[in-house]
PDB file of all heavy atoms in Angstrom:
ATOM      1  N   SER A   1      25.410  -2.383  -5.176  1.00  0.00           N
ATOM      2  CA  SER A   1      26.285  -2.481  -4.000  1.00  0.00           C
ATOM      3  C   SER A   1      27.183  -1.277  -3.851  1.00  0.00           C
ATOM      4  O   SER A   1      27.363  -0.700  -2.770  1.00  0.00           O
ATOM      5  CB  SER A   1      27.104  -3.796  -4.088  1.00  0.00           C
ATOM      6  OG  SER A   1      27.866  -3.932  -2.897  1.00  0.00           O
ATOM      7  N   LEU A   2      27.765  -0.824  -4.985  1.00  0.00           N
ATOM      8  CA  LEU A   2      28.639   0.376  -4.976  1.00  0.00           C
ATOM      9  C   LEU A   2      27.821   1.620  -4.545  1.00  0.00           C
ATOM     10  O   LEU A   2      28.329   2.418  -3.783  1.00  0.00           O
ATOM     11  CB  LEU A   2      29.233   0.595  -6.320  1.00  0.00           C
ATOM     12  CG  LEU A   2      30.427  -0.268  -6.737  1.00  0.00           C
ATOM     13  CD1 LEU A   2      30.784  -0.044  -8.184  1.00  0.00           C
ATOM     14  CD2 LEU A   2      31.626   0.027  -5.849  1.00  0.00           C
ATOM     15  N   LEU A   3      26.625   1.769  -5.051  1.00  0.00           N
ATOM     16  CA  LEU A   3      25.823   2.926  -4.718  1.00  0.00           C
ATOM     17  C   LEU A   3      25.572   2.933  -3.214  1.00  0.00           C
ATOM     18  O   LEU A   3      25.628   4.026  -2.590  1.00  0.00           O
ATOM     19  CB  LEU A   3      24.521   2.891  -5.472  1.00  0.00           C
ATOM     20  CG  LEU A   3      24.579   3.354  -6.920  1.00  0.00           C
ATOM     21  CD1 LEU A   3      23.394   2.929  -7.735  1.00  0.00           C
ATOM     22  CD2 LEU A   3      24.735   4.875  -7.016  1.00  0.00           C
ATOM     23  N   ARG A   4      25.189   1.837  -2.640  1.00  0.00           N
ATOM     24  CA  ARG A   4      24.871   1.811  -1.216  1.00  0.00           C
ATOM     25  C   ARG A   4      26.125   1.832  -0.317  1.00  0.00           C
ATOM     26  O   ARG A   4      26.209   2.667   0.610  1.00  0.00           O
ATOM     27  CB  ARG A   4      24.055   0.551  -0.876  1.00  0.00           C
ATOM     28  CG  ARG A   4      22.680   0.545  -1.447  1.00  0.00           C
ATOM     29  CD  ARG A   4      21.810   1.535  -0.757  1.00  0.00           C
ATOM     30  NE  ARG A   4      20.406   1.276  -1.192  1.00  0.00           N
ATOM     31  CZ  ARG A   4      19.492   2.210  -1.321  1.00  0.00           C
ATOM     32  NH1 ARG A   4      19.790   3.484  -1.036  1.00  0.00           N
ATOM     33  NH2 ARG A   4      18.273   1.925  -1.688  1.00  0.00           N
ATOM     34  N   SER A   5      27.068   0.980  -0.591  1.00  0.00           N
ATOM     35  CA  SER A   5      28.188   0.789   0.328  1.00  0.00           C
ATOM     36  C   SER A   5      29.275   1.836   0.170  1.00  0.00           C
ATOM     37  O   SER A   5      29.777   2.422   1.123  1.00  0.00           O
ATOM     38  CB  SER A   5      28.787  -0.620   0.148  1.00  0.00           C
ATOM     39  OG  SER A   5      27.890  -1.603   0.415  1.00  0.00           O
ATOM     40  N   ARG A   6      29.708   2.059  -1.054  1.00  0.00           N
ATOM     41  CA  ARG A   6      30.881   2.949  -1.249  1.00  0.00           C
ATOM     42  C   ARG A   6      30.430   4.381  -1.422  1.00  0.00           C
ATOM     43  O   ARG A   6      31.080   5.297  -0.868  1.00  0.00           O
ATOM     44  CB  ARG A   6      31.651   2.472  -2.462  1.00  0.00           C
ATOM     45  CG  ARG A   6      32.977   3.223  -2.562  1.00  0.00           C
ATOM     46  CD  ARG A   6      33.870   2.702  -3.589  1.00  0.00           C
ATOM     47  NE  ARG A   6      34.274   1.311  -3.227  1.00  0.00           N
ATOM     48  CZ  ARG A   6      34.829   0.477  -4.070  1.00  0.00           C
ATOM     49  NH1 ARG A   6      35.152   0.869  -5.295  1.00  0.00           N
ATOM     50  NH2 ARG A   6      35.158  -0.742  -3.678  1.00  0.00           N
ATOM     51  N   LEU A   7      29.365   4.648  -2.169  1.00  0.00           N
ATOM     52  CA  LEU A   7      28.937   6.002  -2.445  1.00  0.00           C
ATOM     53  C   LEU A   7      27.938   6.539  -1.429  1.00  0.00           C
ATOM     54  O   LEU A   7      27.674   7.708  -1.424  1.00  0.00           O
ATOM     55  CB  LEU A   7      28.371   6.119  -3.869  1.00  0.00           C
ATOM     56  CG  LEU A   7      29.344   5.800  -5.021  1.00  0.00           C
ATOM     57  CD1 LEU A   7      28.614   5.753  -6.334  1.00  0.00           C
ATOM     58  CD2 LEU A   7      30.492   6.813  -5.038  1.00  0.00           C
ATOM     59  N   GLY A   8      27.356   5.673  -0.631  1.00  0.00           N
ATOM     60  CA  GLY A   8      26.481   6.123   0.455  1.00  0.00           C
ATOM     61  C   GLY A   8      25.109   6.619  -0.003  1.00  0.00           C
ATOM     62  O   GLY A   8      24.484   7.441   0.644  1.00  0.00           O
ATOM     63  N   TYR A   9      24.632   6.176  -1.193  1.00  0.00           N
ATOM     64  CA  TYR A   9      23.339   6.570  -1.672  1.00  0.00           C
ATOM     65  C   TYR A   9      22.250   6.076  -0.729  1.00  0.00           C
ATOM     66  O   TYR A   9      22.159   4.882  -0.395  1.00  0.00           O
ATOM     67  CB  TYR A   9      23.145   6.056  -3.117  1.00  0.00           C
ATOM     68  CG  TYR A   9      21.777   6.499  -3.630  1.00  0.00           C
ATOM     69  CD1 TYR A   9      21.466   7.809  -3.873  1.00  0.00           C
ATOM     70  CD2 TYR A   9      20.813   5.522  -3.942  1.00  0.00           C
ATOM     71  CE1 TYR A   9      20.210   8.167  -4.394  1.00  0.00           C
ATOM     72  CE2 TYR A   9      19.595   5.879  -4.491  1.00  0.00           C
ATOM     73  CZ  TYR A   9      19.296   7.218  -4.669  1.00  0.00           C
ATOM     74  OH  TYR A   9      18.076   7.557  -5.185  1.00  0.00           O
ATOM     75  N   GLU A  10      21.355   6.971  -0.305  1.00  0.00           N
ATOM     76  CA  GLU A  10      20.299   6.615   0.668  1.00  0.00           C
ATOM     77  C   GLU A  10      18.909   6.700   0.039  1.00  0.00           C
ATOM     78  O   GLU A  10      17.906   6.354   0.726  1.00  0.00           O
ATOM     79  CB  GLU A  10      20.398   7.506   1.866  1.00  0.00           C
ATOM     80  CG  GLU A  10      21.650   7.297   2.655  1.00  0.00           C
ATOM     81  CD  GLU A  10      21.807   8.182   3.869  1.00  0.00           C
ATOM     82  OE1 GLU A  10      20.875   8.968   4.108  1.00  0.00           O
ATOM     83  OE2 GLU A  10      22.798   8.099   4.552  1.00  0.00           O
ATOM     84  N   GLY A  11      18.777   7.165  -1.193  1.00  0.00           N
ATOM     85  CA  GLY A  11      17.457   7.255  -1.827  1.00  0.00           C
ATOM     86  C   GLY A  11      16.940   5.894  -2.344  1.00  0.00           C
ATOM     87  O   GLY A  11      17.523   4.817  -2.042  1.00  0.00           O
ATOM     88  N   GLU A  12      15.873   5.975  -3.114  1.00  0.00           N
ATOM     89  CA  GLU A  12      15.269   4.753  -3.655  1.00  0.00           C
ATOM     90  C   GLU A  12      16.187   4.168  -4.744  1.00  0.00           C
ATOM     91  O   GLU A  12      16.591   4.866  -5.666  1.00  0.00           O
ATOM     92  CB  GLU A  12      13.898   5.030  -4.173  1.00  0.00           C
ATOM     93  CG  GLU A  12      13.182   3.784  -4.693  1.00  0.00           C
ATOM     94  CD  GLU A  12      11.720   4.032  -5.126  1.00  0.00           C
ATOM     95  OE1 GLU A  12      11.219   5.139  -4.931  1.00  0.00           O
ATOM     96  OE2 GLU A  12      11.151   3.085  -5.694  1.00  0.00           O
ATOM     97  N   LEU A  13      16.395   2.880  -4.626  1.00  0.00           N
ATOM     98  CA  LEU A  13      17.205   2.142  -5.620  1.00  0.00           C
ATOM     99  C   LEU A  13      16.328   1.059  -6.189  1.00  0.00           C
ATOM    100  O   LEU A  13      15.868   0.174  -5.464  1.00  0.00           O
ATOM    101  CB  LEU A  13      18.429   1.542  -4.927  1.00  0.00           C
ATOM    102  CG  LEU A  13      19.488   0.852  -5.789  1.00  0.00           C
ATOM    103  CD1 LEU A  13      19.982   1.764  -6.897  1.00  0.00           C
ATOM    104  CD2 LEU A  13      20.638   0.402  -4.950  1.00  0.00           C
ATOM    105  N   ARG A  14      16.024   1.144  -7.488  1.00  0.00           N
ATOM    106  CA  ARG A  14      15.090   0.269  -8.114  1.00  0.00           C
ATOM    107  C   ARG A  14      15.707  -0.647  -9.159  1.00  0.00           C
ATOM    108  O   ARG A  14      16.505  -0.199  -9.982  1.00  0.00           O
ATOM    109  CB  ARG A  14      14.021   1.087  -8.794  1.00  0.00           C
ATOM    110  CG  ARG A  14      12.942   0.289  -9.525  1.00  0.00           C
ATOM    111  CD  ARG A  14      11.849   1.108 -10.072  1.00  0.00           C
ATOM    112  NE  ARG A  14      11.063   1.613  -8.947  1.00  0.00           N
ATOM    113  CZ  ARG A  14      10.068   2.491  -9.021  1.00  0.00           C
ATOM    114  NH1 ARG A  14       9.707   2.926 -10.203  1.00  0.00           N
ATOM    115  NH2 ARG A  14       9.443   2.920  -7.967  1.00  0.00           N
ATOM    116  N   ALA A  15      15.332  -1.940  -9.147  1.00  0.00           N
ATOM    117  CA  ALA A  15      15.770  -2.869 -10.188  1.00  0.00           C
ATOM    118  C   ALA A  15      14.723  -2.837 -11.311  1.00  0.00           C
ATOM    119  O   ALA A  15      13.511  -2.928 -11.024  1.00  0.00           O
ATOM    120  CB  ALA A  15      15.899  -4.286  -9.603  1.00  0.00           C
ATOM    121  N   VAL A  16      15.173  -2.715 -12.571  1.00  0.00           N
ATOM    122  CA  VAL A  16      14.250  -2.702 -13.696  1.00  0.00           C
ATOM    123  C   VAL A  16      14.792  -3.698 -14.725  1.00  0.00           C
ATOM    124  O   VAL A  16      16.014  -4.007 -14.730  1.00  0.00           O
ATOM    125  CB  VAL A  16      14.150  -1.267 -14.320  1.00  0.00           C
ATOM    126  CG1 VAL A  16      13.540  -0.296 -13.355  1.00  0.00           C
ATOM    127  CG2 VAL A  16      15.459  -0.788 -14.839  1.00  0.00           C
ATOM    128  N   GLY A  17      13.963  -4.195 -15.546  1.00  0.00           N
ATOM    129  CA  GLY A  17      14.385  -5.122 -16.624  1.00  0.00           C
ATOM    130  C   GLY A  17      13.918  -6.518 -16.284  1.00  0.00           C
ATOM    131  O   GLY A  17      12.777  -6.755 -15.910  1.00  0.00           O
ATOM    132  N   ASP A  18      14.836  -7.458 -16.449  1.00  0.00           N
ATOM    133  CA  ASP A  18      14.514  -8.884 -16.274  1.00  0.00           C
ATOM    134  C   ASP A  18      14.670  -9.246 -14.791  1.00  0.00           C
ATOM    135  O   ASP A  18      15.613  -9.876 -14.360  1.00  0.00           O
ATOM    136  CB  ASP A  18      15.444  -9.752 -17.148  1.00  0.00           C
ATOM    137  CG  ASP A  18      14.987 -11.143 -17.324  1.00  0.00           C
ATOM    138  OD1 ASP A  18      13.825 -11.440 -16.931  1.00  0.00           O
ATOM    139  OD2 ASP A  18      15.743 -11.997 -17.851  1.00  0.00           O
ATOM    140  N   VAL A  19      13.684  -8.851 -14.003  1.00  0.00           N
ATOM    141  CA  VAL A  19      13.675  -9.085 -12.558  1.00  0.00           C
ATOM    142  C   VAL A  19      12.937 -10.377 -12.294  1.00  0.00           C
ATOM    143  O   VAL A  19      11.740 -10.477 -12.505  1.00  0.00           O
ATOM    144  CB  VAL A  19      12.982  -7.934 -11.770  1.00  0.00           C
ATOM    145  CG1 VAL A  19      12.930  -8.214 -10.303  1.00  0.00           C
ATOM    146  CG2 VAL A  19      13.735  -6.611 -12.049  1.00  0.00           C
ATOM    147  N   LEU A  20      13.696 -11.394 -11.849  1.00  0.00           N
ATOM    148  CA  LEU A  20      13.098 -12.734 -11.585  1.00  0.00           C
ATOM    149  C   LEU A  20      13.015 -12.972 -10.103  1.00  0.00           C
ATOM    150  O   LEU A  20      13.792 -12.455  -9.321  1.00  0.00           O
ATOM    151  CB  LEU A  20      13.964 -13.785 -12.259  1.00  0.00           C
ATOM    152  CG  LEU A  20      14.187 -13.664 -13.757  1.00  0.00           C
ATOM    153  CD1 LEU A  20      15.095 -14.756 -14.273  1.00  0.00           C
ATOM    154  CD2 LEU A  20      12.862 -13.733 -14.481  1.00  0.00           C
ATOM    155  N   ILE A  21      12.053 -13.806  -9.699  1.00  0.00           N
ATOM    156  CA  ILE A  21      11.813 -14.073  -8.310  1.00  0.00           C
ATOM    157  C   ILE A  21      13.033 -14.619  -7.551  1.00  0.00           C
ATOM    158  O   ILE A  21      13.278 -14.256  -6.396  1.00  0.00           O
ATOM    159  CB  ILE A  21      10.576 -14.982  -8.103  1.00  0.00           C
ATOM    160  CG1 ILE A  21      10.129 -15.087  -6.648  1.00  0.00           C
ATOM    161  CG2 ILE A  21      10.831 -16.390  -8.700  1.00  0.00           C
ATOM    162  CD1 ILE A  21       9.537 -13.820  -6.134  1.00  0.00           C
ATOM    163  N   ASP A  22      13.820 -15.417  -8.189  1.00  0.00           N
ATOM    164  CA  ASP A  22      14.978 -16.031  -7.567  1.00  0.00           C
ATOM    165  C   ASP A  22      16.059 -15.015  -7.244  1.00  0.00           C
ATOM    166  O   ASP A  22      16.908 -15.223  -6.331  1.00  0.00           O
ATOM    167  CB  ASP A  22      15.577 -17.152  -8.453  1.00  0.00           C
ATOM    168  CG  ASP A  22      14.654 -18.326  -8.630  1.00  0.00           C
ATOM    169  OD1 ASP A  22      13.695 -18.429  -7.853  1.00  0.00           O
ATOM    170  OD2 ASP A  22      14.857 -19.080  -9.553  1.00  0.00           O
ATOM    171  N   GLN A  23      16.114 -13.924  -7.985  1.00  0.00           N
ATOM    172  CA  GLN A  23      17.164 -12.946  -7.794  1.00  0.00           C
ATOM    173  C   GLN A  23      16.745 -11.835  -6.784  1.00  0.00           C
ATOM    174  O   GLN A  23      17.637 -11.074  -6.358  1.00  0.00           O
ATOM    175  CB  GLN A  23      17.528 -12.314  -9.117  1.00  0.00           C
ATOM    176  CG  GLN A  23      18.182 -13.334 -10.056  1.00  0.00           C
ATOM    177  CD  GLN A  23      18.393 -12.731 -11.454  1.00  0.00           C
ATOM    178  OE1 GLN A  23      17.632 -11.893 -11.932  1.00  0.00           O
ATOM    179  NE2 GLN A  23      19.474 -13.192 -12.085  1.00  0.00           N
ATOM    180  N   ILE A  24      15.503 -11.650  -6.519  1.00  0.00           N
ATOM    181  CA  ILE A  24      15.031 -10.597  -5.671  1.00  0.00           C
ATOM    182  C   ILE A  24      15.715 -10.584  -4.284  1.00  0.00           C
ATOM    183  O   ILE A  24      16.172  -9.539  -3.806  1.00  0.00           O
ATOM    184  CB  ILE A  24      13.511 -10.523  -5.577  1.00  0.00           C
ATOM    185  CG1 ILE A  24      12.953 -10.073  -6.944  1.00  0.00           C
ATOM    186  CG2 ILE A  24      13.026  -9.612  -4.443  1.00  0.00           C
ATOM    187  CD1 ILE A  24      11.456 -10.048  -7.052  1.00  0.00           C
ATOM    188  N   PRO A  25      15.833 -11.718  -3.575  1.00  0.00           N
ATOM    189  CA  PRO A  25      16.523 -11.690  -2.263  1.00  0.00           C
ATOM    190  C   PRO A  25      17.966 -11.234  -2.400  1.00  0.00           C
ATOM    191  O   PRO A  25      18.473 -10.485  -1.491  1.00  0.00           O
ATOM    192  CB  PRO A  25      16.478 -13.180  -1.806  1.00  0.00           C
ATOM    193  CG  PRO A  25      15.297 -13.740  -2.494  1.00  0.00           C
ATOM    194  CD  PRO A  25      15.291 -13.094  -3.828  1.00  0.00           C
ATOM    195  N   LEU A  26      18.669 -11.609  -3.498  1.00  0.00           N
ATOM    196  CA  LEU A  26      20.030 -11.137  -3.690  1.00  0.00           C
ATOM    197  C   LEU A  26      20.070  -9.674  -3.958  1.00  0.00           C
ATOM    198  O   LEU A  26      20.980  -8.948  -3.551  1.00  0.00           O
ATOM    199  CB  LEU A  26      20.689 -11.926  -4.788  1.00  0.00           C
ATOM    200  CG  LEU A  26      20.696 -13.456  -4.581  1.00  0.00           C
ATOM    201  CD1 LEU A  26      21.150 -14.198  -5.814  1.00  0.00           C
ATOM    202  CD2 LEU A  26      21.565 -13.855  -3.384  1.00  0.00           C
ATOM    203  N   MET A  27      19.117  -9.160  -4.768  1.00  0.00           N
ATOM    204  CA  MET A  27      19.007  -7.739  -5.044  1.00  0.00           C
ATOM    205  C   MET A  27      18.769  -6.923  -3.786  1.00  0.00           C
ATOM    206  O   MET A  27      19.344  -5.885  -3.548  1.00  0.00           O
ATOM    207  CB  MET A  27      17.915  -7.462  -6.071  1.00  0.00           C
ATOM    208  CG  MET A  27      18.261  -8.000  -7.474  1.00  0.00           C
ATOM    209  SD  MET A  27      16.838  -7.734  -8.576  1.00  0.00           S
ATOM    210  CE  MET A  27      17.418  -8.568 -10.041  1.00  0.00           C
ATOM    211  N   LEU A  28      17.908  -7.456  -2.886  1.00  0.00           N
ATOM    212  CA  LEU A  28      17.646  -6.811  -1.608  1.00  0.00           C
ATOM    213  C   LEU A  28      18.931  -6.710  -0.765  1.00  0.00           C
ATOM    214  O   LEU A  28      19.239  -5.693  -0.145  1.00  0.00           O
ATOM    215  CB  LEU A  28      16.594  -7.612  -0.812  1.00  0.00           C
ATOM    216  CG  LEU A  28      15.156  -7.443  -1.264  1.00  0.00           C
ATOM    217  CD1 LEU A  28      14.273  -8.499  -0.637  1.00  0.00           C
ATOM    218  CD2 LEU A  28      14.614  -6.042  -0.968  1.00  0.00           C
ATOM    219  N   ARG A  29      19.743  -7.759  -0.742  1.00  0.00           N
ATOM    220  CA  ARG A  29      21.001  -7.772  -0.006  1.00  0.00           C
ATOM    221  C   ARG A  29      21.976  -6.738  -0.589  1.00  0.00           C
ATOM    222  O   ARG A  29      22.827  -6.232   0.149  1.00  0.00           O
ATOM    223  CB  ARG A  29      21.614  -9.148  -0.004  1.00  0.00           C
ATOM    224  CG  ARG A  29      20.901 -10.093   0.931  1.00  0.00           C
ATOM    225  CD  ARG A  29      21.576 -11.469   1.006  1.00  0.00           C
ATOM    226  NE  ARG A  29      22.980 -11.489   1.250  1.00  0.00           N
ATOM    227  CZ  ARG A  29      23.583 -11.266   2.416  1.00  0.00           C
ATOM    228  NH1 ARG A  29      22.862 -10.999   3.485  1.00  0.00           N
ATOM    229  NH2 ARG A  29      24.910 -11.314   2.518  1.00  0.00           N
ATOM    230  N   CYS A  30      21.899  -6.464  -1.861  1.00  0.00           N
ATOM    231  CA  CYS A  30      22.802  -5.494  -2.511  1.00  0.00           C
ATOM    232  C   CYS A  30      22.353  -4.060  -2.285  1.00  0.00           C
ATOM    233  O   CYS A  30      23.018  -3.089  -2.651  1.00  0.00           O
ATOM    234  CB  CYS A  30      22.897  -5.754  -4.001  1.00  0.00           C
ATOM    235  SG  CYS A  30      23.846  -7.204  -4.370  1.00  0.00           S
ATOM    236  N   GLY A  31      21.130  -3.895  -1.730  1.00  0.00           N
ATOM    237  CA  GLY A  31      20.654  -2.556  -1.422  1.00  0.00           C
ATOM    238  C   GLY A  31      19.479  -2.073  -2.288  1.00  0.00           C
ATOM    239  O   GLY A  31      18.966  -1.003  -2.094  1.00  0.00           O
ATOM    240  N   VAL A  32      19.024  -2.926  -3.219  1.00  0.00           N
ATOM    241  CA  VAL A  32      17.861  -2.562  -4.016  1.00  0.00           C
ATOM    242  C   VAL A  32      16.650  -2.604  -3.084  1.00  0.00           C
ATOM    243  O   VAL A  32      16.453  -3.538  -2.315  1.00  0.00           O
ATOM    244  CB  VAL A  32      17.717  -3.507  -5.213  1.00  0.00           C
ATOM    245  CG1 VAL A  32      16.428  -3.236  -5.978  1.00  0.00           C
ATOM    246  CG2 VAL A  32      18.880  -3.478  -6.121  1.00  0.00           C
ATOM    247  N   ASP A  33      15.776  -1.560  -3.167  1.00  0.00           N
ATOM    248  CA  ASP A  33      14.590  -1.566  -2.283  1.00  0.00           C
ATOM    249  C   ASP A  33      13.273  -1.492  -3.044  1.00  0.00           C
ATOM    250  O   ASP A  33      12.240  -1.590  -2.419  1.00  0.00           O
ATOM    251  CB  ASP A  33      14.744  -0.447  -1.265  1.00  0.00           C
ATOM    252  CG  ASP A  33      15.042   0.911  -1.809  1.00  0.00           C
ATOM    253  OD1 ASP A  33      14.864   1.136  -3.007  1.00  0.00           O
ATOM    254  OD2 ASP A  33      15.468   1.786  -1.045  1.00  0.00           O
TER     255      ASP A  33
END
């Protein structure tokens, strides 16, 4: 969220590690693509 909203990062933002199906919609809302 900080990268997208406050710092204005526009490149690819990737979630790595323990990525579970239930959390993916929330990660999308935070700016992970």
Side-chain angles (χ1 to χ4, degrees):
S1 184
L2 283 170
L3 281 162
R4 292 290 192 210
S5 300
R6 189 169 298 167
L7 296 173
Y9 179 65
E10 295 179 0
E12 184 175 351
L13 186 56
R14 177 174 294 175
V16 299
D18 196 10
V19 177
L20 302 178
I21 190 70
D22 295 343
Q23 295 174 328
I24 290 176
L26 302 171
M27 291 175 185
L28 285 166
R29 286 183 49 78
C30 289
V32 176
D33 50 19

